[in-house]
Amino acid sequence: MRRIGSILLGLVLITTSCNEVVDMELPNAQGELKVKLKQDSGTISTKTVDEEFPDIGEFVVEVTETSSGRTFYRKKYADLAEQTMLLNEGEHKCYAFYGDPKGVGFNSYYYTAETFADIRANQVSDVELTAKLENVKVAVNFGPALTFDHKDYYAQINTQTGRKLTFKKNETRCGYVPVGDVTVTLYIYVNDQWLCYTSEPVTCAS
């Protein structure tokens, strides 16, 4: 997480691993795949008390044959865990995701995980996917000068998609916005009217 102005940005790095074990006999030119999905440990260690991360079983897992581009499996992880998938021999892309990449909100997590599996005839391949946060974690800190001098104020984070995330004066939660440029608009109630100031764009990159 890094600070840009009053915004705190949090990102997580990708990690994957892949192992293969011979377990059972299958027809020629076919093998099996077993997928294990977990959440990145860095994301878990940086979460705040208010945050509730999605159930790992709700992630969608896709398995696509690289040579043909055909997707043979697309199911929730809860329906695939501890099961094997019969696949053609060759390379397959394993991809998992949760959430909306354009989502904006306090619980708008967007996670992805990706790796490749080399399916071999008469073998069972185990792959491990590590889901990590792909959108940007943001927070607004109101300084003591503002809180002491003014009774009412709030801030909005404005995204390129037009969606906005509002932080009221007592808000302590972190929010989530898509990768891209954002601005922050501060609203202050002064002399029976609202005054506002909008910052220059800040690029939130993964």
Side-chain angles (χ1 to χ4, degrees), residues 73-89:
Y73 292 91
R74 189 180 192 275
K75 295 183 178 181
K76 287 187 177 182
Y77 180 64
D79 298 326
L80 290 175
E82 306 303 324
Q83 298 183 15
T84 56
M85 293 170 275
L86 186 64
L87 294 165
N88 295 330
E89 188 176 30

Side-chain angles (χ1 to χ4, degrees), residues 20-190:
E20 294 184 357
V21 294
V22 177
D23 191 20
M24 59 185 294
E25 291 296 323
L26 296 170
N28 291 335
Q30 285 188 311
E32 286 191 311
L33 175 67
K34 187 174 182 180
V35 174
K36 180 180 180 181
L37 177 63
K38 66 178 184 178
Q39 190 181 80
D40 181 78
S41 58
T43 304
I44 297 171
S45 64
T46 58
K47 80 171 187 176
T48 64
V49 174
D50 295 330
E51 292 174 300
E52 294 183 5
F53 288 103
D55 182 350
I56 202 76
E58 293 299 311
F59 280 67
V60 175
V61 178
E62 296 179 346
V63 180
T64 303
E65 187 177 53
T66 304
S67 61
S68 67
R70 292 176 60 192
T71 297
F72 287 95
Y73 292 91
R74 189 180 192 275
K75 295 183 178 181
K76 287 187 177 182
Y77 180 64
D79 298 326
L80 290 175
E82 306 303 324
Q83 298 183 15
T84 56
M85 293 170 275
L86 186 64
L87 294 165
N88 295 330
E89 188 176 30
E91 185 182 72
H92 289 72
K93 176 183 173 181
C94 305
Y95 178 73
F97 69 93
Y98 177 92
D100 179 3
K102 296 182 179 180
V104 174
F106 292 104
N107 295 303
S108 294
Y109 320 110
Y110 176 54
Y111 285 91
T112 69
E114 179 181 311
T115 192
F116 289 86
D118 184 17
I119 304 301
R120 299 178 183 179
N122 303 323
Q123 293 189 13
V124 177
S125 299
D126 290 341
V127 296
E128 185 174 274
L129 292 166
T130 303
K132 68 233 173 278
L133 188 68
E134 290 289 357
N135 52 359
V136 182
K137 186 177 182 179
V138 295
V140 172
N141 295 316
F142 297 106
L146 177 65
T147 59
F148 183 79
D149 293 336
H150 303 283
K151 291 184 178 180
D152 206 0
Y153 48 86
Y154 65 97
Q156 276 187 341
I157 295 185
N158 314 299
T159 69
Q160 286 182 301
T161 64
R163 299 182 182 180
K164 304 177 187 295
L165 180 58
T166 300
F167 287 80
K168 297 180 180 180
K169 64 180 182 180
N170 296 321
E171 185 61 74
T172 59
R173 294 174 296 173
C174 294
Y176 298 85
V177 298
V179 169
D181 289 347
V182 301
T183 59
V184 181
T185 302
L186 176 64
Y187 293 86
I188 308 173
Y189 195 67
V190 179

